[in-house]
C-alpha cells in the first residue's frame, strides 16, 4: 500500500497473500477485523513501514488477527484494537487517552523505537517484553512488564500504572525526569500493583 486504506469491515487474507504498508502508506482501522481466510491458518505478517492508526471509535473493538511487524507508526487515537497475534515493534506506538490496545494470547515485543501512553491503556495476558528503545508516558498497563530497555513514567510528569509485575533486568533502566518534590507533578510516578524485581539502573534526569 502506497496510498490510504480505511478499514470499515471484515477483511480475510489467504496464506499466499502479503500485506505491506509502505512508508507513504496509511491504514485507518475504523471498524471490523483483519483475519486469515481460514481459522488457524499460517498468515504472513502485516508489515508496517508507514502509518497504521485508529481515528474513530466503534461499537466493537477492531480485531487484528494477524501478526504485526511495525517499523513505522502505530497510532491509536480512540477506541480499542484487539490483537490475537504477536506485535513486534522497533518503530513508534502511541496510545491516546480514549484508546486501548489489547494483546491476547500473543506477545508484545519492543526491540527499539518508542511506545508512548498519553492517557491510554495497554493490556496483555502475557508479559510485555521491552528489549530495546523507550517505554514512556501516563496511563495504565494491564500486564506484567519485563524491562531490558528504558522505562520512563510521565509525560514528562504524571502517573504510569502497572497492574501486575515489574521486572527490570541488568540492562534495564528506570528513568525519572525531576523538577520538584511532588510525585506526578514534579516528577513522573510509577505505581506497580504486583511484585517488583529490580536490577540494572535508575536514572534521574533534572529539568
Amino acid at each position: 500500500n502506497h496510498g490510504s486504506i480505511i478499514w470499515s469491515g471484515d477483511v480475510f487474507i489467504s496464506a499466499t497473500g502479503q500485506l505491506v504498508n509502505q512508508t507513504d502508506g496509511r491504514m485507518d482501522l475504523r471498524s471490523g477485523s483483519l483475519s486469515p481466510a481460514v481459522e488457524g491458518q499460517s498468515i504472513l505478517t502485516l508489515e508496517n513501514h508507514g502509518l497504521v492508526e485508529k481515528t474513530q471509535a466503534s461499537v466493537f473493538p477492531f480485531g487484528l488477527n494477524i501478526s504485526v511487524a511495525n517499523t513505522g507508526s502505530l497510532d491509536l487515537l480512540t477506541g480499542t484494537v484487539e490483537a490475537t497475534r504477536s506485535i513486534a515493534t522497533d518503530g513508534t506506538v502511541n496510545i491516546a487517552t480514549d484508546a486501548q490496545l489489547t494483546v491476547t494470547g500473543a506477545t508484545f515485543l519492543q526491540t527499539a523505537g518508542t511506545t508512548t501512553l498519553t492517557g491510554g491503556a495497554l493490556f496483555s495476558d502475557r508479559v510485555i517484553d521491552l528489549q530495546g528503545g523507550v517505554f514512556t508516558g501516563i496511563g495504565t498497563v494491564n500486564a506484567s512488564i519485563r524491562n531490558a530497555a528504558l522505562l520512563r513514567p510521565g509525560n514528562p510528569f504524571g502517573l504510569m500504572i502497572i497492574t501486575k509485575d515489574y521486572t527490570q533486568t541488568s540492562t534495564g533502566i528506570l528513568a525519572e525526569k525531576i523538577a520538584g518534590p511532588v510525585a506526578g507533578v514534579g516528577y513522573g510516578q510509577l505505581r506497580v500493583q504486583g511484585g517488583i524485581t529490580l536490577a540494572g539502573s535508575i536514572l534521574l534526569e533534572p529539568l
Side-chain angles (χ1 to χ4, degrees):
N1 174 48
H2 288 277
S4 182
I5 297 176
I6 297 176
W7 303 105
S8 58
D10 296 319
V11 178
F12 299 92
I13 302 177
S14 70
T16 57
Q18 186 173 11
L19 185 55
V20 179
N21 193 41
Q22 302 289 358
T23 55
D24 56 349
R26 170 182 174 265
M27 295 182 176
D28 191 350
L29 312 178
R30 292 191 180 178
S31 64
S33 64
L34 187 57
S35 306
V38 178
E39 185 175 353
Q41 183 182 61
S42 177
I43 184 68
L44 292 176
T45 297
L46 164 59
E47 297 180 16
N48 176 47
H49 307 289
L51 173 63
V52 174
E53 60 183 349
K54 184 168 177 58
T55 65
Q56 292 185 5
S58 49
V59 176
F60 300 103
F62 186 92
L64 194 56
N65 301 315
I66 65 174
S67 299
V68 176
N70 176 51
T71 63
S73 294
L74 177 59
D75 292 348
L76 306 185
L77 304 179
T78 187
T80 300
V81 172
E82 287 187 350
T84 59
R85 302 287 179 96
S86 64
I87 296 178
T89 180
D90 59 10
T92 62
V93 178
N94 301 298
I95 307 174
T97 299
D98 297 324
Q100 176 170 300
L101 175 59
T102 298
V103 185
T104 304
T107 57
F108 181 95
L109 170 65
Q110 178 179 296
T111 56
T114 303
T115 296
T116 303
L117 304 179
T118 53
L122 173 59
F123 170 86
S124 180
D125 59 356
R126 298 190 180 182
V127 175
I128 293 172
D129 193 2
L130 307 178
Q131 295 185 4
V134 178
F135 191 95
T136 187
I138 56 174
T140 302
V141 181
N142 291 307
S144 294
I145 286 183
R146 176 185 179 273
N147 177 28
L150 188 148
L151 188 142
R152 180 186 289 116
N155 191 27
F157 312 125
L159 174 65
M160 179 187 292
I161 299 172
I162 299 174
T163 63
K164 296 184 181 178
D165 300 335
Y166 176 70
T167 300
Q168 184 169 296
T169 73
S170 60
T171 60
I173 300 171
L174 176 61
E176 294 278 359
K177 291 185 178 294
I178 297 183
V182 181
V185 177
Y187 59 90
Q189 183 180 10
L190 178 64
R191 180 182 299 164
V192 179
Q193 297 176 344
I196 300 176
T197 302
L198 285 179
S201 305
I202 295 176
L203 175 64
L204 304 180
E205 303 171 301
L207 286 178

